[in-house]
């Protein structure tokens, strides 16, 4: 939250980071509290909690709503169209969004108009990735970063991959948590 408050969103490719916690240590609660602090601070227009599986999204949305105060609104996304509408929205209730990598990856393919793209790209976005070691490949992250130029990314993982224990390469790209 402190780092987000100091980010200059006019610069592209701001560096976020990753948070490494052991399994069962409270990553979901920590990610929610981070997202909550950021969304309430006014330092971001959208805080997106991104995961790699629909079941995990349903579970995370339920947990996030359980952690939230009565006056907080945590938005889910039933499909890509709903996600796009929440991303374009200026409604403060649409600040904290829980969605999947599949929906985020389809945004460009779902017939966005140029004015929609311009409106979304004006938003200051913080993207928090659950299970980042497997949820977003380096290639997908780079594509999404190009599309969401004013974004700051944070990954949460219980099983980070480093140079000494990388995932198998995907094409010419390395597969470490840092990537």
């Amino acid at each position: 939250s402190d780092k987000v408050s100091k980010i200059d969103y006019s610069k592209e490719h701001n560096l976020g980071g990753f948070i490494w916690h052991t399994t069962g240590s409270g990553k979901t609660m920590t990610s929610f509290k981070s997202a909550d602090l950021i969304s309430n601070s006014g330092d971001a227009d959208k805080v997106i909690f991104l995961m790699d599986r629909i079941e995990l999204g349903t579970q995370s949305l339920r947990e996030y709503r359980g952690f939230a105060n009565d006056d907080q609104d945590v938005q889910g996304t039933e499909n890509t169209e709903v996600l796009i509408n929440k991303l374009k929205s200026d409604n403060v209730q649409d600040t904290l969004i829980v969605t999947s990598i599949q929906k985020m990856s389809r945004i460009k393919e779902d017939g966005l108009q140029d004015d929609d793209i311009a409106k979304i790209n004006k938003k200051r976005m913080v993207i928090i990735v659950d299970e980042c070691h497997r949820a977003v490949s380096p290639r997908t992250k780079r594509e999404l970063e190009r599309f969401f130029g004013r974004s700051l990314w944070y990954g949460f993982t219980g099983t980070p991959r480093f140079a000494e224990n990388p995932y198998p390469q995907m094409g010419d790209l390395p597969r470490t948590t840092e990537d």
Side-chain angles (χ1 to χ4, degrees):
S1 180
D2 184 53
K3 181 167 181 165
V4 171
S5 72
K6 297 172 184 167
I7 289 298
D8 178 357
Y9 284 99
S10 67
K11 294 181 182 177
E12 289 193 22
H13 309 295
N14 283 307
L15 296 178
F18 68 93
I19 293 85
W20 172 12
H21 281 260
T22 59
T23 302
S25 64
K27 286 186 296 295
T28 301
M29 173 62 104
T30 303
S31 66
F32 173 76
K33 192 57 184 172
S34 300
D36 177 48
L37 289 169
I38 295 164
S39 65
N40 287 325
S41 71
D43 293 325
D45 299 312
K46 300 293 175 185
V47 180
I48 302 165
F49 186 74
L50 189 62
M51 79 291 305
D52 68 334
R53 296 189 313 276
I54 291 178
E55 314 82 60
L56 188 57
T58 303
Q59 173 190 339
S60 296
L61 182 58
R62 187 173 46 249
E63 287 183 31
Y64 263 37
R65 286 181 172 156
F67 297 150
N69 296 325
D70 291 338
D71 62 340
Q72 291 175 305
D73 203 4
V74 180
Q75 297 291 310
T77 56
E78 295 79 25
N79 56 51
T80 308
E81 182 180 348
V82 171
L83 173 60
I84 290 168
N85 287 330
K86 290 183 186 305
L87 290 172
K88 292 188 311 185
S89 171
D90 292 325
N91 187 332
V92 71
Q93 290 180 324
D94 292 330
T95 300
L96 184 52
I97 302 168
V98 177
T99 195
S100 68
I101 186 62
Q102 292 84 0
K103 291 173 192 156
M104 286 286 280
S105 296
R106 283 195 302 264
I107 284 178
K108 293 190 307 186
E109 301 165 9
D110 275 17
L112 275 178
Q113 303 299 316
D114 288 342
D115 58 327
D116 291 338
I117 293 169
K119 186 166 189 162
I120 290 171
N121 278 318
K122 288 181 183 174
K123 307 284 184 186
R124 301 168 301 153
M125 293 192 189
V126 174
I127 301 173
I128 297 173
V129 184
D130 190 41
E131 303 296 345
C132 67
H133 60 278
R134 70 166 180 246
V136 181
S137 72
R139 178 174 289 131
T140 300
K141 182 176 178 281
R142 286 182 189 114
E143 288 171 9
L144 288 171
E145 279 180 316
R146 277 193 285 275
F147 186 75
F148 297 109
R150 295 173 53 145
S151 61
L152 184 63
W153 291 68
Y154 289 96
F156 281 76
T157 181
T159 52
R161 295 297 186 140
F162 300 109
E164 58 272 8
N165 67 333
Y167 279 106
Q169 284 191 305
M170 293 182 64
D172 60 341
L173 298 174
R175 288 285 312 222
T176 67
T177 302
E178 186 175 11
D179 293 323

